[in-house]
């Protein structure tokens, strides 16, 4: 698949090509916003609950409404960018995201906030897949592009890490509404910059949009998460719960049937015949299900049990945020000597140990023993496991499918996290039985972390049995290309969120791999 830039108004008027720094600034600002909003609301949750009278289930949907829409429509957003233009979809997605942020910031009822968060996620899903392609189209291949992609990757990681601190500062200094309203002036500024500086491009493909597939998978997973959450309020045998779960199964089966019959499927099912793709995505779903709840429950524990302010809770989670970045940086170094599969297993085991440690939390806990120590271990393990999982997922797939597989593993992580949060919230609520005393809340949070540790143990066992082994190539074998992706490579059909070098399976410093089994 090839890209061809389309003349924008500036070039048509004979103006100079926009400077690289301007393009980089606009694209990275958009990427930062959508990644930030996955985590920025966490420290504001107690304030939202008090102001809008949200239930415990409502709180989890403040996070899940965004995550499910974001992940469910991400592959669709990548395809839309291919067909209708990456700049156009960037602008449309950012406009939707900004408008939804305003609606959420002024919400007066809980349902209004949840609806705004879902629309935010849709806007993010349209915007995010275009960012990397727009960047690589604007920066010539070579060291400059490598530096630009490094900046793009760091901004993505930094957005997630900064969420707790930014949310704490805004909630403590202004109100919870500003964790959403802050997106409005920034979004408008980025829209103006992107309209002026970005150059249009699209893929030369005759494929069409698979809207039914995107709607079915998103609706199916949303209803499934709702059904899981309803088990806490009504029980597993209640009619409302059974109906929701049955509808979810039907929607997901409808999605699989639609993909099997579609000429241009959103998610080609043939990809799952490749062992590395199916195994890595299965491990990623389970790992994501366990790990996303960490930020949710740690924020609630810090504020509802230990009495931290939103700002202090955000500051308390900074070491954990840095740990996940450090783990991701260490992973390629370890992959060079150990290989991808052992690093996945190591990271998963470390994370499971951290979650087990966190499950010993106490109502009169301390920052060092109940937040700092276990938080660093949990997130360092998460960082270690993520990069080699992405590498394994694409290493056995056809190179033409690298962009699609990259988007798929990212979707698996986010979707797994959304479903996992629904499960773990239900588990925590079953332990508290409606009580709000610090001891009861701690028991519920501890049970959620204990359950997550068991889930990670299952992910470890699954990876041990299913992930393919790698056989090192000899030094005389010509290494795979290790430079930054070309425009054509980066423009493959969907490339949201995953580090581009890891997504291609040629993590810097790691020897090329061949799979056995």
């Amino acid at each position: 698949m090839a890209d061809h830039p389309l003349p924008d108004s500036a070039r048509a008027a004979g103006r100079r090509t926009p400077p690289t720094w301007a393009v980089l600034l606009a694209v990275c600002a958009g990427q930062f916003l959508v990644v930030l909003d996955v985590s920025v609301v966490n420290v504001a949750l107690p304030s939202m609950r008090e102001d809008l009278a949200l239930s415990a289930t409502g709180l989890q949907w403040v996070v899940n409404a965004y995550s499910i829409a974001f992940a469910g429509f991400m592959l669709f957003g990548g395809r839309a960018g291919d067909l209708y233009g990456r700049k156009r979809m960037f602008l449309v997605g950012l406009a939707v995201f900004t408008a939804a942020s305003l609606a959420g910031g002024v919400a007066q009822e809980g349902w209004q906030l949840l609806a705004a968060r879902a629309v935010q996620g849709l806007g993010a899903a349209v915007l995010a897949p275009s960012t990397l392609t727009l960047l690589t189209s604007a920066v010539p291949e070579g060291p400059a592009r490598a530096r630009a992609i490094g900046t793009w990757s760091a901004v993505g990681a930094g957005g997630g890490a900064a969420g707790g601190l930014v949310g704490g500062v805004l909630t403590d200094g202004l109100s919870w509404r500003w964790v959403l309203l802050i997106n409005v002036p920034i979004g408008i500024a980025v829209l103006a910059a992107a309209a002026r500086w970005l150059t249009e491009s699209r893929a030369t493909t005759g494929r069409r949009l698979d809207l039914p597939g995107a709607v079915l998978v998103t609706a199916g997973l949303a209803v499934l998460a709702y059904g899981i959450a309803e088990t806490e309020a009504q029980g597993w045998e209640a009619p409302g719960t059974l109906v929701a779960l049955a509808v979810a199964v039907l929607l997901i089966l409808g999605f699989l049937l639609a993909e099997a019959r579609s000429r241009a499927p959103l998610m080609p099912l043939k990809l799952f015949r490749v062992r590395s793709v199916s195994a890595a995505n299965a491990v990623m779903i389970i790992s994501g299900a366990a790990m996303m709840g960490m930020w949710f429950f740690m924020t609630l524990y810090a504020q509802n049990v230990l009495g931290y302010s939103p700002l202090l809770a955000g500051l308390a989670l900074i070491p954990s945020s840095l740990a996940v970045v450090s783990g991701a940086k260490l992973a390629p170094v370890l992959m060079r000597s150990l290989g991808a599969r052992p690093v996945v297993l190591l990271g998963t085991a470390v994370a499971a140990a951290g979650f087990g440690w966190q499950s010993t939390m106490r109502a009169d806990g301390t920052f060092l023993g109940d937040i700092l120590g276990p938080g660093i271990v949990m997130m360092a393990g998460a960082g270690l496991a993520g990069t080699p999982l992405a590498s394994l997922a694409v290493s056995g797939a056809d190179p033409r499918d690298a962009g699609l597989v990259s988007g798929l593993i990212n979707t698996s992580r986010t979707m797994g996290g959304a479903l996992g949060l629904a499960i773990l919230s239900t588990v925590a609520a079953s332990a508290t039985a409606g009580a709000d005393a610090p001891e009861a809340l701690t028991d519920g949070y501890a049970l959620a972390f204990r359950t997550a540790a068991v889930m990670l143990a299952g992910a470890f066992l699954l990876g041990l049995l299913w992930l393919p082994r790698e056989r090192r190539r000899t030094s005389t074998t010509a290494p795979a290309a290790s430079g930054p992706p070309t425009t054509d490579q980066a423009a493959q059909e969907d490339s949201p969120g995953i580090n581009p070098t890891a997504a291609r399976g040629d993590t810097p410093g790691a020897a090329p791999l061949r799979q056995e089994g």
Side-chain angles (χ1 to χ4, degrees):
M1 181 182 298
D3 273 355
H4 59 276
L6 301 178
D8 61 8
S9 58
R11 289 191 177 184
R15 298 176 186 173
R16 295 176 59 189
T17 301
T20 299
W21 66 265
V23 176
L24 182 63
L25 179 62
V27 168
C28 287
Q31 176 76 353
F32 182 82
L33 279 178
V34 299
V35 175
L36 179 75
D37 263 64
V38 175
S39 59
V40 72
V41 299
N42 282 326
V43 295
L45 291 174
S47 300
M48 291 176 176
R49 180 175 187 173
E50 183 178 347
D51 197 15
L52 300 180
L54 288 167
S55 64
T57 301
L59 281 186
Q60 78 179 52
W61 277 102
V62 173
V63 179
N64 268 355
Y66 183 88
S67 298
I68 289 176
F70 187 15
F73 283 98
M74 197 182 300
L75 298 179
F76 174 83
R79 181 79 77 235
D82 287 343
L83 296 180
Y84 302 124
R86 281 65 177 260
K87 175 181 177 178
R88 180 178 297 171
M89 289 300 102
F90 182 94
L91 295 175
V92 169
L94 184 55
V96 171
F97 178 88
T98 303
S101 297
L102 176 60
V106 300
Q108 300 300 310
E109 301 287 343
W111 69 266
Q112 296 172 350
L113 175 61
L114 299 185
R117 287 286 288 167
V119 177
Q120 260 193 313
L122 174 60
V126 173
L127 180 161
S130 298
T131 56
L132 180 59
T133 307
L134 285 167
L135 181 61
T136 54
S137 297
V139 183
E141 187 173 358
R145 182 183 289 179
R147 291 192 297 270
I149 291 175
T151 301
W152 177 86
S153 301
V155 164
L165 178 59
V166 173
V169 170
L170 293 173
T171 304
D172 227 23
L174 297 170
S175 79
W176 67 264
R177 297 182 181 277
W178 279 96
V179 302
L180 300 173
L181 292 176
I182 192 65
N183 295 329
V184 177
I186 298 175
I188 292 173
V190 177
L191 273 171
R196 176 178 176 82
W197 292 333
L198 298 183
T199 300
E200 186 60 280
S201 71
R202 64 170 61 110
T204 55
T205 176
R207 289 193 174 186
R208 59 179 178 81
L209 282 173
D210 183 16
L211 181 59
V215 171
L216 284 170
V217 69
T218 304
L221 291 168
V223 175
L224 179 59
Y226 172 79
I228 293 170
E230 282 298 290
T231 62
E232 184 270 325
Q234 302 184 36
W236 283 98
E237 298 179 356
T241 300
L242 294 177
V243 168
L245 295 176
V247 170
V249 170
L250 289 175
L251 287 169
I252 293 172
L253 289 176
F255 165 71
L256 295 175
L257 183 61
E259 297 306 281
R261 293 184 172 182
S262 175
R263 293 182 179 179
L266 188 69
M267 186 183 71
L269 300 183
K270 66 178 183 179
L271 289 176
F272 293 102
R273 298 173 187 167
V274 181
R275 178 178 174 181
S276 60
V277 173
S278 53
N281 277 276
V283 174
M284 182 64 85
I285 288 173
I286 300 174
S287 299
M291 292 176 183
M292 180 177 276
M294 181 269 183
W295 306 108
F296 182 82
F297 290 110
M298 288 300 290
T299 298
L300 296 180
Y301 172 66
Q303 294 185 65
N304 293 342
V305 176
L306 301 184
Y308 286 19
S309 67
L311 175 58
L312 192 57
L315 291 171
L317 293 178
I318 285 180
S320 302
S321 301
L322 296 177
V324 72
V325 176
S326 299
K329 291 288 188 182
L330 179 60
V333 178
L334 295 179
M335 289 169 65
R336 185 186 311 156
S337 56
L338 301 178
R341 179 175 176 271
V343 178
V344 170
L345 298 177
L346 174 63
T348 305
V350 170
F355 275 82
W357 181 3
Q358 188 64 68
S359 70
T360 65
M361 61 207 304
R362 302 165 298 159
D364 59 347
T366 64
F367 170 69
L368 291 178
D370 295 272
I371 292 182
L372 179 65
I376 289 176
V377 176
M378 284 187 287
M379 290 298 99
L384 277 175
T387 297
L389 268 178
S391 178
L392 281 170
V394 298
S395 62
D398 190 311
R400 292 172 296 180
D401 293 326
L404 181 59
V405 175
S406 167
L408 180 61
I409 194 98
N410 214 30
T411 299
S412 295
R413 179 179 58 226
T414 307
M415 278 300 187
L419 294 176
L421 182 56
I423 294 170
L424 296 176
S425 294
T426 301
V427 168
S430 68
T432 59
D436 57 1
E439 292 78 9
L441 291 174
T442 303
D443 289 343
Y445 302 152
L447 182 58
F449 280 106
R450 200 170 302 123
T451 303
V454 173
M455 294 166 68
L456 286 169
F460 176 90
L461 183 60
L462 185 65
L464 183 65
L465 297 176
W466 196 5
L467 285 174
R469 299 177 183 272
E470 308 97 31
R471 183 171 68 245
R472 318 297 293 184
R473 290 179 180 173
T474 63
S475 58
T476 58
T477 303
S482 58
T486 65
T487 301
D488 289 350
Q489 289 170 322
Q492 292 191 52
E493 300 177 20
D494 310 287
S495 53
I498 289 289
N499 182 293
T501 51
R504 292 196 320 277
D506 56 354
T507 305
L513 305 176
R514 289 187 297 182
Q515 295 176 356
E516 295 179 343

